[in-house]
Amino acid sequence: MTSGPNGRTAPLLNAVLSVTSHLELHEVLHNVIEAAADLTGAPYSAIDVLDAAGEVESHLQTGNAPDVHALLTHPHGVEVLEAIGTEPMVLEDLIDHPRFADLPPGHPRTARFLGVQVRIRDQTYGRLYLAGKAEPFTADDADQVRMLAAAAGIAVQNARLYAAARTRERWLAVGQEITTTLLSGTDIEEALELIAARVRQVARADTAVIVLPGLGQDWVIEFADGDPVGDLVGIVMPSNGRAMTVLRDGHGIIVDSFARARNLRVPQFGRYGPSLYAPLMAGDHGLGVLILLRHTGAGEFTENELTIAESIARQAALAITLSESRQAQDLAALLSERSRIARDLHDLAIQHLFATGLRLGQAQQRLLGSPAPAPAALTGDLEAALDGVDEAVGQIRRIVHALRTDAENAPLTERVEAEAALGRTDLGLATSVTFDDATAAELAAGGMEDLADDVVAVVREGLANAARHARAGHVRVALVAQAGVLTITVTDDGVGPDPAADRHSGLANLAGRARRHGGECTLVAGGDNSIDGAGGHKQGGAVLTWTAALT
């Protein structure tokens, strides 16, 4: 490199070193404009950093030149800035450019201008420009600023990479916290509240909401965190909206601004600007959608943030699935242990007490039948021992009954959900259970003892058939109690029933259970009623319908 006519090689090298010695973007930009002003002697220096869409993402300027600033912020001044190409733009006066017009009469003509692109190879990162110099900008000025802009491009790229790495580090730390919390046994609702709060914080969003399955086919905002969000919880998401699209596709999206949307399907989102949607995917099954929202005017979410958000959402979904499965296994293990204890008490302890009672009774009879009179104290002790054995047997029988009925008398809705959770762990299915408030109240009411075991058996058999015979991946179980009839529908996305196959014994058993309660059982091809991986509709699959009269 040769020095320019003013011998400024050393200052340029110092400027390049100053520009590239920082990783924080604001410091990089500040150093760029200060170095450009020092190299050229211009009283005004500024830089615009552009986003992926070519819009100004950040702007920084230095120098006290109000007339120049007024020209550059004039609408036609902005157009001139946008016209800066791959070669330096040198103007004796900014308003001489073809894109500058309608300058108010009498405006001072002092805006000598030099502008260059900040770029690396074919990618443009921004614009560096100077103005207001008393003497014209020279070719040497242009060369110096162009080389500085090249260094600035590398510095901006490094700063963005550094910022992206820091962002990923923060997100991953939050992801680890969420996973640890879920797998430590925290209640699912508490964990979802934590997910909304921590992800909102790390994403620098103003609001975070989580959309989960509601009643029937509805998907509802169940959790929200951030500024006043009371009007968001409970919103039913439109079936053709972004959340459902994300859930069906399994990929997140970025929205530049809700405030500019023409057709806003969720009016409450109109007060926000940029947003990010990330599906909670467990394998191919969508558990819900995480939506991050920023206020109008805030910076848009980046592709890097979307990628990390999708990863964290998948991690959280997997942890949720494992947590639910573990809870179901714990419940099943508890019920199994209760049954074992009851069985051991009945088969071992009671039988042993019976044997002891028989021996005591025989000893009492021998004493009473002997020629010599038995001591009164001894016969009294034997009588008391026999009474004690009878009382112990009674107590153990009551304990056995309580152990058995505790498991059998658990809320029917919980027993059904436990079966669905076991379907996920033992059968590898993506399952969901739905019932409305009226049905839940009906199932919780008394008088269901005779029906409860059959309901659990229907759900268990339906899930087993979907996994083993239909080779399904997703199964939805719906319970509806209406007009004195309980209807259970098990819908899958499998291969559908084989019309040439004989009726399976399991289905015959379910039909028998239905007839016992005045109902019926059918298995038909799914058609439009079957489901796909996002809980939507598609052709194929099978629908098992089981009914029983509620008496």
Side-chain angles (χ1 to χ4, degrees):
M1 180 185 295
T2 59
S3 63
N6 297 321
R8 289 184 290 178
T9 301
L12 176 61
L13 289 175
N14 291 334
V16 169
L17 291 174
S18 175
V19 166
T20 56
S21 63
H22 295 280
L23 290 175
E24 294 291 346
L25 184 58
H26 182 81
E27 293 181 0
V28 168
L29 300 181
H30 178 76
N31 287 346
V32 168
I33 58 176
E34 289 286 350
D38 291 341
L39 286 172
T40 62
Y44 179 90
S45 177
I47 189 169
D48 293 336
V49 178
L50 306 180
D51 60 19
E55 300 293 330
V56 176
E57 179 180 84
S58 57
H59 168 86
L60 197 64
Q61 67 184 44
T62 185
N64 183 19
D67 291 341
V68 173
H69 180 71
L71 283 175
L72 291 172
T73 55
H74 187 280
H76 292 297
V78 174
E79 291 184 20
V80 175
L81 296 179
E82 293 174 348
I84 298 174
T86 56
E87 293 298 323
M89 177 188 287
V90 181
L91 300 173
E92 179 62 22
D93 197 315
L94 187 70
I95 64 175
D96 290 337
H97 193 276
R99 290 199 183 187
F100 205 103
D102 71 3
L103 183 69
H107 195 285
R109 301 170 59 86
T110 58
R112 290 188 175 92
F113 179 85
L114 168 59
V116 297
Q117 286 188 347
V118 178
R119 58 187 293 118
I120 299 178
R121 293 181 291 275
D122 296 331
Q123 185 171 359
T124 301
Y125 286 94
R127 298 183 288 260
L128 172 62
Y129 48 94
L130 304 100
K133 190 175 178 182
E135 65 276 3
F137 287 101
T138 66
D140 185 57
D141 289 333
D143 287 340
Q144 299 268 349
V145 174
R146 179 167 56 182
M147 286 186 281
L148 180 64
I154 296 173
V156 170
Q157 184 185 54
N158 290 338
R160 283 181 168 175
L161 292 173
Y162 175 71
R166 291 288 301 273
T167 298
R168 180 177 292 275
E169 182 182 355
R170 291 195 304 269
W171 279 79
L172 292 179
V174 168
Q176 183 178 10
E177 177 187 354
I178 291 171
T179 302
T180 302
T181 300
L182 282 165
L183 297 183
S184 65
T186 301
D187 180 76
I188 295 297
E189 290 196 0
E190 292 182 10
L192 289 171
E193 290 176 353
L194 173 68
I195 291 172
R198 296 294 290 120
V199 172
R200 180 189 65 79
Q201 294 166 4
V202 74
R204 295 186 173 90
D206 296 294
T207 297
V209 302
I210 297 180
V211 179
L212 297 173
L215 301 178
Q217 302 297 318
D218 291 340
W219 289 76
V220 182
I221 295 179
E222 295 286 358
F223 296 91
D225 183 82
D227 45 55
V229 292
D231 60 336
L232 298 180
V233 176
I235 291 177
V236 177
M237 305 304 289
S239 60
N240 58 344
R242 293 183 179 90
M244 296 300 96
T245 299
V246 165
L247 198 61
R248 285 189 291 268
D249 295 345
H251 301 289
I253 60 173
I254 294 173
V255 179
D256 57 356
S257 178
F258 278 122
R260 296 197 298 265
R262 293 182 179 179
N263 299 319
L264 196 60
R265 297 183 178 91
V266 181
Q268 292 85 345
F269 283 178
R271 64 178 181 261
Y272 295 102
S275 66
L276 181 153
Y277 289 69
L280 296 164
M281 301 296 298
D284 294 331
H285 177 53
L287 302 182
V289 181
L290 171 67
I291 305 176
L292 300 175
L293 304 154
R294 287 174 178 165
H295 287 154
T296 303
E300 294 183 15
F301 290 96
T302 65
E303 290 294 332
N304 181 55
E305 288 176 317
L306 174 61
T307 300
I308 303 174
E310 289 179 317
S311 175
I312 297 301
R314 285 193 297 270
Q315 186 177 344
L318 178 61
I320 289 172
T321 302
L322 292 174
S323 179
E324 289 178 340
S325 301
R326 188 184 62 187
Q327 290 178 6
Q329 289 177 329
D330 290 345
L331 176 60
L334 175 61
L335 297 179
S336 175
E337 181 64 11
R338 284 182 173 181
S339 297
R340 184 194 65 77
I341 294 172
R343 184 173 60 253
D344 288 348
L345 286 174
H346 180 272
D347 296 343
L348 301 177
I350 288 182
Q351 297 305 321
H352 182 72
L353 285 173
F354 266 130
T356 302
L358 287 174
R359 291 194 187 96
L360 290 173
Q362 291 171 354
Q364 184 184 45
Q365 292 300 321
R366 284 197 297 272
L367 283 174
L368 293 176
S370 65
L378 180 59
T379 56
D381 289 342
L382 286 173
E383 187 70 28
L386 287 171
D387 291 342
V389 168
D390 291 340
E391 178 63 24
V393 168
Q395 289 179 352
I396 292 176
R397 281 178 170 168
R398 288 190 291 273
I399 293 172
V400 169
H401 178 74
L403 287 171
R404 288 175 173 170
T405 55
D406 279 351
E408 295 169 354
N409 291 340
L412 185 52
T413 53
E414 290 185 10
R415 296 179 65 185
V416 171
E417 288 177 338
E419 289 297 327
L422 290 174
R424 286 192 287 271
T425 57
D426 295 347
L427 302 177
L429 296 171
T431 61
S432 64
V433 179
T434 62
F435 40 78
D436 56 27
D437 292 340
T439 299
E442 184 73 32
L443 297 180
M448 297 285 290
E449 294 81 2
D450 186 46
L451 184 60
D453 288 341
D454 287 332
V455 169
V456 174
V458 170
V459 173
R460 184 179 300 163
E461 183 68 23
L463 295 175
N465 284 338
R468 295 167 186 161
H469 304 301
R471 300 192 296 278
H474 301 81
V475 183
R476 183 175 61 243
V477 180
L479 288 79
V480 177
Q482 190 174 21
V485 176
L486 174 65
T487 302
I488 302 175
T489 306
V490 182
T491 310
D492 66 57
D493 65 348
V495 298
D498 184 358
D502 294 334
R503 191 174 185 88
H504 296 298
S505 60
L507 293 177
N509 179 45
L510 296 186
R513 290 177 182 268
R515 287 193 297 270
R516 191 159 63 89
H517 297 286
E520 59 182 3
C521 178
T522 60
L523 178 67
V524 298
D528 290 334
N529 291 323
S530 61
I531 59 173
D532 60 23
H537 299 278
K538 73 165 191 176
Q539 295 289 331
V543 179
L544 171 70
T545 303
W546 188 90
T547 62
L550 295 171
T551 55

